Amino acid sequence: MGLAWVDPVVATVVAAMVGLCVGSFLNVVIHRLPKMLERGWQAQCAELRGETPDTGPAYNLVVPRSACPGCGAPITALQNIPVVSWLALKGRCAQCKVPISSRYPLVEIMGGVLAACAIWRFGVTPQGVAACGLLWSLLALTMIDFDTQLLPDGITLPLLWAGLIVNLWNTFAPLPDAVMGAVAGYLSLWAVYWAFKLIRGKEGMGYGDFKLLAALGAWLGWQVLPVIVLLSSVVGACIGMTLIVFKGRDHSVPMAFGPFLAIAGAIALFFGTALVKTYFP
């Protein structure tokens, strides 16, 4: 049950503001999580060599404080207001005036827009709140995969379990459909991976893609998986052609597939049921 007395416009605006703040935190996740993984791998390699891992100072999603990558000056609370601070500083560090990437406010804006869309579509309900969590996770995975071609287990696996837990109450799909979605999502791309490797002798995607599609199946049910796969192919083709035409990207350079799955999953969250009824009656 939702809060029927809450005005939808007010709820959407509040969701957008919360989403902006979450987007600010997602910037930290996108930047630090791959580095945390790399530090963990280096520590494991040192242990296998019989060496004492050089852990160095604490580095996680909380510490150290956010700082300018150019001069190392700490970012104050007033300089960390989503979007507003970036505009007030004219996209530059307050100390050394080094340009700050416009991607930071764009991620914050996307966090707000996705939350607003989720609450507008599903209302102030458990379904709406869960949809926000799914969309924010997909946003983080998209940016991390674009940067590093990694889909961290620290996000994909909790996302999979969260989908199954959410659907204990048939939030987005009946639980049996969610379980089958997780299984079918993983095995379908796993089969494609091995078929491509046997035919071409090289890997065509990473294991993180299997886990991401399994997570989307756990959230939305197995019926939506064909729609997600088809949409991801269309999204990938459009983005790939755009990068080749306008950015001069070498078409022989591999592209991360996870962002296309994530975008397709977000589309399926809002329109998946209608698409299934239309194209897979």
Side-chain angles (χ1 to χ4, degrees):
M1 293 180 63
L3 302 179
W5 52 271
V6 177
D7 183 85
V9 176
V10 174
T12 301
V13 172
V14 172
M17 295 177 65
V18 172
L20 288 172
C21 298
V22 173
S24 181
F25 174 71
L26 291 181
N27 277 319
V28 177
V29 175
I30 293 164
H31 177 74
R32 295 192 181 188
L33 188 55
K35 294 186 176 182
M36 291 164 56
L37 290 174
E38 184 177 356
R39 287 164 65 100
W41 296 333
Q42 291 174 347
Q44 292 172 11
C45 290
E47 291 177 354
L48 291 174
R49 293 194 300 265
E51 303 172 358
T52 301
D54 181 14
T55 56
Y59 188 86
N60 51 48
L61 299 180
V62 179
V63 294
R65 284 181 57 186
S66 297
C68 170
C71 64
I75 297 176
T76 65
L78 289 177
Q79 296 169 353
N80 208 25
I81 301 173
V83 182
V84 174
S85 293
W86 188 87
L87 293 174
L89 294 171
K90 298 180 180 179
R92 294 182 178 275
C93 171
Q95 300 295 326
C96 65
K97 306 305 179 183
V98 168
I100 301 172
S101 173
S102 59
R103 199 177 79 169
Y104 291 105
L106 288 176
V107 170
E108 294 168 350
I109 291 171
M110 284 302 301
V113 169
L114 291 174
C117 291
I119 296 301
W120 183 263
R121 169 66 176 81
F122 300 107
V124 186
T125 63
Q127 194 177 27
V129 174
C132 289
L134 172 60
L135 292 169
W136 289 329
S137 300
L138 294 178
L139 176 58
L141 288 170
T142 296
M143 304 309 298
I144 291 174
D145 205 14
F146 264 132
D147 290 342
T148 64
Q149 294 197 352
L150 292 173
L151 290 171
D153 287 350
I155 299 179
T156 55
L157 296 183
L159 191 64
L160 190 157
W161 287 109
L164 296 177
I165 293 172
V166 163
N167 284 322
L168 286 173
W169 298 273
N170 299 339
T171 305
F172 295 100
L175 183 59
D177 291 350
V179 173
M180 286 302 301
V183 174
Y186 188 92
L187 291 181
S188 58
L189 288 189
W190 177 87
V192 171
Y193 167 89
W194 281 107
F196 186 87
K197 189 172 184 178
L198 291 173
I199 295 171
R200 298 293 299 274
K202 59 182 180 180
E203 297 181 351
M205 64 179 66
Y207 279 62
D209 298 322
F210 314 163
K211 300 166 189 174
L212 177 55
L213 188 57
L216 292 173
W219 276 83
L220 305 177
W222 66 268
Q223 296 92 338
V224 184
L225 290 177
V227 170
I228 293 176
V229 172
L230 289 174
L231 284 173
S232 63
S233 301
V234 173
V235 171
C238 293
I239 294 177
M241 291 175 62
T242 301
L243 291 176
I244 291 172
V245 173
F246 295 102
K247 296 292 185 179
R249 180 185 175 88
D250 186 352
H251 63 83
S252 63
V253 177
M255 293 183 64
F257 187 58
F260 310 145
L261 281 176
I263 294 171
I267 296 172
L269 172 66
F270 293 102
F271 308 109
T273 302
L275 291 172
V276 168
K277 290 180 178 178
T278 302
Y279 296 102
F280 302 96

